[in-house]
Amino acid sequence: MPDFSRDLWCILGLPFDRVTLQQASGLMQRAASERRPCFLSTPNLNFAVACLDDAAFRDSVLQSDLSVADGMPLVWIARALGLPIEERVAGSSLFQALREQRMQAGQAPLRAFFFGGPPGVAQTAHEQLNATPSGMRSVGFASPGFGSIEEMSQPATIAQINDSQADFLVVALGAKKGQAWIQHNLPQLRTPLVSHLGAVVNFVAGTVSRAPRWAQKSGLEWLWRIKEEPKLWRRYRDDGLALLQLLATRVLPCIWETRRHRPQADAYAQAGISCRRDRGDCELLLAGVLGAPNIDRLRAALSQAAAGSEPVVLDCTRLQAIDSAVLGSLMLLYGYCAKQGRPWAMINVPVPVQRQVRLHCAGYLLRALP
């Protein structure tokens, strides 16, 4: 089941964990040492924009075990909305932090496997990573070419990855295809840490250099990326135009709504949150004002709902307001229902609440899952 204790916040329709780079690194180290599955997603602005119109791509983030904000525009939006996502956690930085981890006495380096990338780059990354001692070493690589997901998921390919006993599978197939490949093969993979980190393979191999730290922190890394890979300029142009549209139609109106209708502190204590099973459905009854102050009560109810197999129905007749934290947690249950093929429906949602959901780009939650 999903971990409903995660401190999640919704930004542009996706859930993001409230973690620093150091905390994310620690979570992944523990998952590796315990051989506990951890599917990491690293959405940036391009990722978030694409998810607006691609349900399967979006669901791959909703069904991740850890989702970090890999893009300064996302951090800026979070700050403008008053959300506690204050630090960019880039996938490349997270990989580097794991590579530079301090080794304890008797501790073995983290074992990485590179899958994908341009021809020959995965092998070069493998060799470069092992050229100098660090907290990570490569135990294998594979370059599957440009076939379909099914063609790149042959039993021999999965066996090669599993037989390497890797702790961290680094996938580089393009964001959409990479996330889909991971989703397709996750049940068969025995590697605890799995993530699509397309640029990492190039950075480790040395075929592309990463931007200086000042550019990363100032939000100007995209200029450096265009210098290194000129073909990316169209992507960044389109992302910039999409960002302007989202600011005008979603972010700024959301800021206005949030400041205009700020609930009183005692409203959270009076909220109604309950889970019951009735006539073959699992009903979540939500009433009053739901938000970060009473999120623990909601998490408990969501966990109860996830424990069954019945259709999930959220009765919002008496719901007055929700915030980004509530949406982030609801997304976990929604993603779990989508994965299990369980029906989902939000019913009797008041118009003001519908508006709040849509301003957070989470309107898909209002649509029923068959």
Side-chain angles (χ1 to χ4, degrees):
M1 288 204 313
D3 179 7
F4 288 103
S5 67
R6 289 166 61 186
D7 190 357
L8 287 173
W9 299 78
C10 168
I11 307 172
L12 298 184
L14 296 178
F16 290 89
D17 288 89
R18 179 187 181 184
V19 291
T20 64
L21 177 62
Q22 183 178 4
Q23 290 168 338
S25 175
L27 288 170
M28 294 187 70
Q29 289 178 40
R30 285 194 294 275
S33 65
E34 298 168 4
R35 304 299 293 178
R36 174 168 43 84
C38 180
F39 171 24
L40 166 72
S41 285
T42 60
N44 54 21
L45 177 62
N46 177 263
F47 213 112
V49 169
C51 284
L52 293 174
D53 300 315
D54 191 324
F57 194 27
R58 180 185 63 232
D59 286 349
S60 73
V61 181
L62 271 55
Q63 295 163 9
S64 301
D65 300 298
L66 183 63
S67 176
V68 296
D70 185 355
M72 283 307 299
L74 298 177
V75 176
W76 293 333
I77 290 172
R79 290 173 183 171
L81 292 169
L83 310 182
I85 305 291
E86 299 178 352
E87 179 179 332
R88 179 193 180 198
V89 183
S92 303
S93 300
L94 187 49
F95 181 92
Q96 191 64 24
L98 292 169
R99 185 177 180 180
E100 296 174 352
Q101 64 178 313
R102 287 188 177 184
M103 305 293 293
Q104 305 297 324
Q107 181 182 1
L110 202 65
R111 295 164 295 190
F113 189 104
F114 295 104
F115 183 80
V121 174
Q123 179 177 355
T124 304
H126 164 82
E127 295 168 351
Q128 290 296 321
L129 185 60
N130 292 338
T132 56
S134 70
M136 188 183 296
R137 68 183 180 89
S138 176
V139 293
F141 63 91
S143 298
F146 301 98
S148 67
I149 290 173
E150 290 73 19
E151 291 170 341
M152 293 188 288
S153 304
Q154 297 298 315
T157 301
I158 305 303
Q160 179 188 2
I161 297 170
N162 288 336
D163 291 345
S164 73
Q165 298 184 330
D167 302 304
F168 192 1
L169 174 59
V170 179
V171 180
L173 300 174
K176 285 191 178 184
K177 195 171 189 178
Q179 292 282 115
W181 184 91
I182 292 172
Q183 290 283 86
H184 182 77
N185 292 293
L186 210 50
Q188 288 76 45
L189 291 169
R190 296 200 297 268
T191 309
L193 308 181
V194 182
S195 184
H196 183 272
L197 300 173
V200 163
V201 178
N202 290 322
F203 293 156
V204 175
T207 55
V208 175
S209 63
R210 193 174 180 201
R213 192 171 297 274
W214 65 265
Q216 298 174 32
K217 291 187 174 182
S218 64
L220 295 176
E221 187 169 6
W222 61 276
L223 284 174
W224 183 273
R225 290 292 304 277
I226 291 175
K227 177 186 78 71
E228 292 290 306
E229 301 175 82
K231 64 182 181 181
L232 292 177
W233 76 267
R234 288 187 179 86
R235 182 188 115 179
Y236 286 113
R237 177 201 62 190
D238 294 343
D239 288 348
L241 294 174
L243 177 60
L244 291 175
Q245 184 177 10
L246 287 169
L247 289 174
T249 62
R250 295 290 191 274
V251 179
L252 292 177
C254 191
I255 294 172
W256 170 251
E257 287 281 329
T258 301
R259 294 180 179 178
R260 185 183 172 196
H261 302 289
R262 197 179 301 275
Q264 297 295 321
D266 60 352
Y268 295 102
Q270 299 170 9
I273 304 171
S274 62
C275 175
R276 70 182 186 187
R277 286 175 163 81
D278 182 42
R279 290 176 291 184
D281 289 337
C282 177
E283 294 184 347
L284 282 165
L285 306 178
L286 308 179
V289 178
L290 304 187
N294 54 20
I295 193 68
D296 287 339
R297 292 173 55 197
L298 177 65
R299 289 169 178 163
L302 296 179
S303 183
Q304 291 177 42
S309 58
E310 314 93 331
V312 174
V313 178
L314 285 73
D315 189 338
C316 305
T317 305
R318 298 169 54 203
L319 186 60
Q320 298 174 10
I322 56 176
D323 69 1
S324 172
V326 170
L327 289 170
S329 290
L330 288 180
M331 288 170 184
L332 273 191
L333 181 58
Y334 176 92
Y336 188 57
C337 287
K339 185 176 181 178
Q340 286 194 311
R342 289 174 66 181
W344 156 289
M346 293 182 69
I347 64 173
N348 304 322
V349 185
V351 173
V353 176
Q354 292 185 36
R355 176 171 171 78
Q356 292 169 358
V357 174
R358 291 193 172 99
L359 287 178
H360 280 92
C361 300
Y364 58 89
L365 295 176
L366 301 171
R367 297 192 290 271
L369 284 174

